Amino acid sequence: MNIILLGPPGAGKGTQAQRIEAGKNMKQLSTGDMLRAAIAAGTPIGLKAKDTMARGELVPDDIVVGIISDRIEDADCAAGFILDGFPRNVSQAEALDVMLAEKGLELDAVVEIKVNDGILINRIEKRAAETEGGPRADDNAEALKKRLDVYHAQTAPLIEYYATKGTLRSVDGMADMDEVARQIMEVLNG
Ligand code: ADP
């Protein structure tokens, strides 16, 4: 089974992706994690992405589309993958449609983790206070605010994109983590 987890920063996509990975034979593919690994390793992609990411802006589409296109062909994705943080705008979603068709793969569901803005801003401010100066250069109040703005402007239109295609399923991201996980499993088990 191949799915997308869609939702704003602070919605808990990463946590839920790890739970799904543990409970199902599916591989979490987080473009954010992959970009951070590229930065840590000092690769050309890492060098290109570093400053943009630290500001909370999106890195160029061709970089993430290339990473995902290569990665979903790996053997550990054959039983299924969970896209976490990709696609993040309509042009990435269109590129994903093309690459899946070319590879003979299909998306089974797009799971939207719904969280309202008031709660997000609280979570984000808390996370910034806890993690400022930590391993993520983009976990400061300014970059987190920027990531939320980018989400609304560029990523939120994907909700409509996948609703139109009929693949969208929504879960309540304001419930506690176990309840969110339960709702996602319900979606995945049909
Ligand atoms: P979060 O969901 O908390 O914002 P991520 O780890 O998913 O965190 O992403 C961190 C940063 O990595 C983004 O702000 C962006 O700069 C970059 N990034 C991750 N995925 C993509 C993508 N699909 N397209 C462009 N940039 C991306």
Side-chain angles (χ1 to χ4, degrees):
M1 197 174 197
N2 303 320
I3 67 164
I4 295 173
L5 283 187
L6 195 62
K13 297 186 297 293
T15 308
Q16 296 299 335
Q18 283 168 14
R19 289 198 176 202
I20 301 166
E21 192 181 56
K24 297 220 161 230
N25 193 14
M26 293 164 73
K27 189 77 198 161
Q28 175 191 13
L29 302 181
S30 157
T31 42
D33 287 350
M34 292 181 219
L35 291 167
R36 280 184 288 276
I39 292 173
T43 67
I45 284 180
L47 289 176
K48 262 198 192 169
K50 190 172 183 207
D51 294 340
T52 318
M53 262 180 94
R55 285 195 301 270
E57 291 165 13
L58 296 186
V59 307
D61 292 341
D62 59 332
I63 292 185
V64 285
V65 169
I67 292 178
I68 289 296
S69 177
D70 288 344
R71 191 64 185 82
I72 59 178
E73 289 187 359
D74 288 346
D76 61 352
C77 293
F81 51 78
I82 307 152
L83 296 176
D84 160 14
F86 179 91
R88 243 179 168 88
N89 60 30
V90 169
S91 102
Q92 291 179 15
E94 288 169 351
L96 177 64
D97 287 341
V98 172
M99 82 171 79
L100 292 175
E102 281 172 0
K103 296 178 201 289
L105 295 169
E106 270 179 28
L107 265 185
D108 298 285
V110 177
V111 181
E112 181 207 0
I113 304 180
K114 267 184 176 310
V115 184
N116 76 30
D117 261 12
I119 288 190
L120 275 180
I121 289 166
N122 278 340
R123 283 190 193 173
I124 280 177
E125 281 171 353
K126 203 166 151 240
R127 180 155 142 193
E130 283 167 4
T131 54
E132 182 127 31
R136 279 189 63 162
D138 60 352
D139 268 354
N140 56 75
E142 199 184 335
L144 277 160
K145 170 76 174 42
K146 180 76 195 174
R147 276 152 62 200
L148 194 55
D149 290 346
V150 168
Y151 175 79
H152 284 301
Q154 301 195 50
T155 311
L158 295 180
I159 295 167
E160 188 58 38
Y161 183 88
Y162 289 113
T164 305
K165 284 178 177 282
T167 41
L168 188 76
R169 303 287 179 273
S170 297
V171 301
D172 174 14
M174 286 161 297
D176 66 54
M177 271 191 323
D178 289 341
E179 172 58 17
V180 179
R182 196 195 61 73
Q183 288 187 20
I184 294 175
M185 282 304 160
E186 210 171 79
V187 168
L188 300 188
N189 293 331

